[in-house]
Amino acid sequence: MPAMEAVVVEGIRRVFTPRKREPVTALDSVSLTIPVGEVHGLLGPNGAGKTTLVKILSTVLLPTEGRALVCGHDVVTETKAVRPLIGIVFGGERGLYTRLSARQNLEYWGALYRLSGPQIKERTAMLLDRVGLTDRADQRVEEFSRGMKQRLHLARGLMGDARVLFLDEPTTGMDPLAAREFRKLVGDLQDEGRTILLTTHDMVEAETVCDRVSLIDRGRILATETPRSLGSLISRFQRIDIEDAPDALLAQLKLVAGVSSVSPQADGSIRIEVNEDGATALVLRHLVDAGITSVKTSLPSLEEVYVQMIGERGLVV
Amino acid sequence: MRAFLAGARIQLRFLRSYPDSLIPFFTAPMFTVIFLMIFRHAGRPDLTAYATVAPVFIALWWLALFNAGWSIQIERWNGTIEMLVAAPSSFAAVILGRITTTTMIGVVSFAETWLVARLLFGATVRIHHLWAFVATIVITLATMAGTSVAMSSLFVLTRNAVTFSNAASYPFYILGGILVPVSVLPHWIRPVSSIVFLSWSADLLRAALRSTPMHDVGFRLGMVALLGVCGFALGAWAMRVILVRVRTSGELGTM
Ligand SMILES: Nc1ncnc2c1ncn2[C@@H]1O[C@H](COP(=O)(O)OP(=O)(O)OP(=O)(O)O)[C@@H](O)[C@H]1O
Ligand SMILES: [Mg+2]
């Protein structure tokens, strides 16, 4: 029976012990289960441990404690079984042979993923096309822009026809159109039955492509939810935004039972937050009675959840 | 096997884009000139065989070792070493494919050095035992490549593999009796020399250039091959151990 869970992480802990310095705990009792076919997002501040987790799952790094399975195979004891099943994209400037052309890079990895000659040719052409690099295929990678390298990274990760893809910040450096294409590509990959674990700092990206996201901070998973329901973790209630209102009305709204705050926003609009069931309806009635109909209700966005849960810590890591 | 071929193929492409890694083709004939001048000056034309075989061995071994270091270094520079380790193919086999390719190209330096000996010094190199000669070269090349894998596993541990690999070549020149016969080395060092395959290879090659009959060719070739197989086995094992080590320490991807 094929494993229904693409990724299972059980109590993973990873400690780095750099020479002559204090040990760093990059991951601490992390557990996570990703079913086959899910696109899972890993969100968290710099140094949270996202890359470390991805590296452990892709057999590059060993966990200090705990166990992880990919398609039912242990990433420590069954690397031979795991490696053909996974595709890795570690984003950034590095990870490509800069003096070779895009095509040569892909062909090489195709061979290392044990494809036959004709398969290599076919997949290379198909993937170059898929990431929009066909015209640049025979140019050296060192001449590529950052976004072009990023696309090539992606094609490289797909060379082996992996069942589970690990994408570490796959869209950094991509222009908005390329990023949009990327999101479409992720959808296609999902339709093909692949499982994707992706780290990102782009909340909109996470909201649009991920079935579920995990918030991770200082090596611990804070929450794993769908992007929508994650909002309810910081507020079960909707917020009401209005463009403008007389001060008297605002003062009156503040007195409505269940209204927690009435605050002007940077863009000149006014946000009313409630913390009791039924309060939204009361507020809306007041607004309509006062003749204000341009009203928007919403749940907190993923970015707000993120900021709230991670806390505003500026540039401290 | 596929990993080996993939390594060979990428190496040809690398050599084209990093031509500096073929520097021994440039230095080998220089060594010939130096050695021949010294031997002539000392009045020992009988040592011509040493002067023409030594530069080739230096070139070949340097190429093998340098490429062992350089293959690892290139992976670090490009930040691809982690992905290479995570790929389904055997890391050691890919590296072996790369090193073998360069070493095979290195055979060209035979032609080079002999041409120089001929043109500048009028020294003709005559191969008296052709089959022994060819067999020695083929087996030596394979052995060099195999042994280099053992070395490259050590290079995974160092941050500057290329510098290290440069330095690592010299002891082998001495222990391998490449230019100076092992018989002039101190007694205590001779046993060490006999486990360096280069000493067997160099002896065989020089013998193949002499008109006197050769002895125990099969046994001596067997020794070269045996040392090569041991070298590769040791290398593949060390590579596995070291990869586990760097996966534990997290130093695989660091530059
Ligand atoms: N090779 C290493 N040696 C020592 N410490 C390391 C090593 N790799 C990562 N760390 C430490 O582990 C912690 C987690 O790092 P990691 O790269 O996983 O963070 P991240 O969530 O991917 O951050 P970012 O968003 O910046 O990519 C950090 O404190 C980092 O300094
Ligand atoms: Mg990271």
Side-chain angles (χ1 to χ4, degrees):
Chain A
M1 198 193 83
M4 287 314 291
E5 315 293 358
V7 175
V8 176
V9 178
E10 288 170 354
I12 287 274
R13 179 181 158 80
R14 169 73 217 203
V15 180
F16 287 103
T17 319
R19 280 175 211 147
K20 297 183 209 147
R21 267 180 294 128
E22 287 290 290
V24 180
T25 305
L27 293 173
D28 202 0
S29 42
V30 167
S31 296
L32 180 66
T33 301
I34 306 176
V36 169
E38 177 169 291
V39 177
H40 196 97
L42 215 47
L43 310 180
N46 298 132
K50 304 179 294 296
T51 301
T52 305
L53 182 57
V54 168
K55 283 189 177 169
I56 288 175
L57 290 173
S58 50
T59 77
V60 172
L61 208 59
L62 294 172
T64 311
E65 251 172 58
R67 197 168 78 116
L69 308 178
V70 171
C71 299
H73 301 290
D74 192 299
V75 297
V76 176
T77 55
E78 299 173 82
T79 49
K80 272 208 171 72
V82 171
R83 287 173 179 164
L85 297 172
I86 59 173
I88 320 163
V89 177
F90 296 148
E93 293 283 314
R94 308 179 70 232
L96 298 163
Y97 298 105
T98 49
R99 293 223 187 156
L100 300 185
S101 71
R103 192 190 304 279
Q104 289 172 337
N105 266 280
L106 293 184
E107 287 176 353
Y108 177 53
W109 290 105
L112 292 186
Y113 276 82
R114 308 208 175 116
L115 302 182
S116 70
Q119 277 174 321
I120 291 176
K121 286 260 172 309
E122 188 195 314
R123 273 195 86 72
T124 304
M126 186 271 284
L127 287 170
L128 283 169
D129 186 54
R130 212 164 174 179
V131 298
L133 284 177
T134 305
D135 293 340
R136 306 282 199 138
D138 297 305
Q139 203 174 326
R140 276 187 180 194
V141 173
E142 61 193 359
E143 296 162 15
F144 278 17
S145 74
R146 185 160 161 191
M148 286 158 64
K149 282 185 194 150
Q150 203 63 38
R151 297 168 189 223
L152 186 57
H153 271 302
L154 204 58
R156 196 203 67 82
L158 297 174
M159 237 1 236
D161 201 15
R163 301 315 304 158
V164 181
L165 285 160
F166 299 113
L167 314 179
D168 196 3
E169 300 186 30
T171 50
T172 26
M174 281 192 190
D175 62 54
L177 286 179
R180 206 160 76 181
E181 281 300 310
F182 164 79
R183 287 170 203 165
K184 225 165 71 201
L185 178 61
V186 167
D188 293 346
L189 293 170
Q190 187 176 27
D191 291 343
E192 293 164 14
R194 295 177 220 271
T195 309
I196 298 171
L197 175 62
L198 115 127
T199 80
T200 182
H201 291 294
D202 183 335
M203 296 301 137
V204 178
E205 178 173 293
E207 229 157 9
T208 40
V209 305
C210 295
D211 299 314
R212 289 192 307 156
V213 296
S214 290
L215 271 186
I216 178 169
D217 187 28
R218 300 177 204 228
R220 289 174 176 276
I221 292 192
L222 302 180
T224 298
E225 289 286 347
T226 64
R228 285 195 141 272
S229 55
L230 204 53
S232 62
L233 284 179
I234 61 164
S235 168
R236 298 193 357 255
F237 308 102
Q238 289 184 313
R239 293 91 51 96
I240 305 135
D241 291 314
I242 52 180
E243 275 166 20
D244 199 13
D247 288 344
L249 177 62
L250 294 181
Q252 201 184 344
L253 284 173
K254 277 186 190 154
L255 299 174
V256 173
V259 169
S260 58
S261 75
V262 176
S263 44
Q265 303 291 296
D267 61 359
S269 68
I270 293 146
R271 167 164 294 180
I272 303 148
E273 288 180 321
V274 301
N275 60 8
E276 262 176 43
D277 282 324
T280 307
L282 283 176
V283 172
L284 286 175
R285 198 162 310 138
H286 271 90
L287 290 170
V288 174
D289 286 350
I292 295 170
T293 50
S294 169
V295 177
K296 205 176 82 192
T297 61
S298 63
L299 280 166
S301 71
L302 190 52
E303 177 161 347
E304 287 169 74
V305 178
Y306 180 94
V307 170
Q308 179 115 11
M309 292 195 67
I310 304 293
E312 308 246 15
R313 70 170 70 130
L315 284 176
V316 180
V317 290
Chain B
M1 192 61 198
R2 203 169 271 171
F4 177 86
L5 291 178
R9 182 129 185 253
I10 199 82
Q11 189 68 8
L12 289 175
R13 291 179 164 170
F14 276 139
L15 289 177
R16 232 175 296 159
S17 42
Y18 297 87
D20 41 322
S21 54
L22 292 175
I23 268 181
F25 291 114
F26 190 70
T27 53
M30 309 267 194
F31 277 122
T32 314
V33 172
I34 296 170
F35 296 154
L36 277 177
M37 284 198 314
I38 295 173
F39 292 158
R40 289 276 155 112
H41 186 73
R44 296 288 302 271
D46 56 311
L47 290 179
T48 302
Y50 276 88
T52 52
V53 169
V56 179
F57 266 76
I58 292 176
L60 287 176
W61 184 235
W62 192 87
L63 273 176
L65 261 193
F66 175 77
N67 273 284
W70 185 73
S71 295
I72 302 294
Q73 189 89 49
I74 259 194
E75 298 299 331
R76 280 196 196 279
W77 278 334
N78 285 314
T80 40
I81 193 160
E82 295 185 324
M83 285 176 274
L84 195 54
V85 167
S89 295
S90 148
F91 189 72
V94 177
I95 298 293
L96 183 68
R98 290 208 199 165
I99 300 171
T100 309
T101 308
T102 325
T103 324
M104 266 163 35
I105 296 173
V107 176
V108 175
S109 57
F110 264 114
E112 251 187 336
T113 52
W114 291 359
L115 203 64
V116 168
R118 177 79 184 265
L119 293 181
L120 295 184
F121 297 90
T124 326
V125 180
R126 190 168 298 130
I127 305 171
H128 288 277
H129 306 275
L130 184 64
W131 284 113
F133 183 83
V134 172
T136 305
I137 291 183
V138 171
I139 293 177
T140 300
L141 289 180
T143 297
M144 272 184 179
T147 312
S148 307
V149 172
M151 301 300 287
S152 74
S153 63
L154 291 178
F155 299 153
V156 173
L157 284 177
T158 73
R159 296 215 175 176
N160 203 336
V162 167
T163 318
F164 192 57
S165 70
N166 262 326
S169 56
Y170 289 92
F172 288 90
Y173 297 150
I174 298 170
L175 292 174
I178 286 177
L179 184 64
V180 181
V182 176
S183 54
V184 305
L185 293 178
H187 272 290
W188 57 269
I189 214 168
R190 283 189 216 162
V192 186
S193 161
S194 66
I195 59 165
V196 174
F197 73 95
L198 286 173
S199 66
W200 297 83
S201 299
D203 275 350
L204 274 167
L205 272 196
R206 284 188 295 255
L209 298 182
R210 280 196 291 267
S211 54
T212 47
M214 292 177 74
H215 301 290
D216 306 325
V217 179
F219 168 73
R220 291 153 79 188
L221 280 175
M223 277 309 288
V224 179
L226 181 70
L227 289 169
V229 170
C230 290
F232 178 69
L234 190 75
W237 172 80
M239 191 73 96
R240 263 202 302 277
V241 171
I242 285 171
L243 285 180
V244 169
R245 209 190 117 158
V246 291
R247 280 164 69 210
T248 308
S249 69
E251 281 172 347
L252 186 55
T254 48
M255 289 229 288

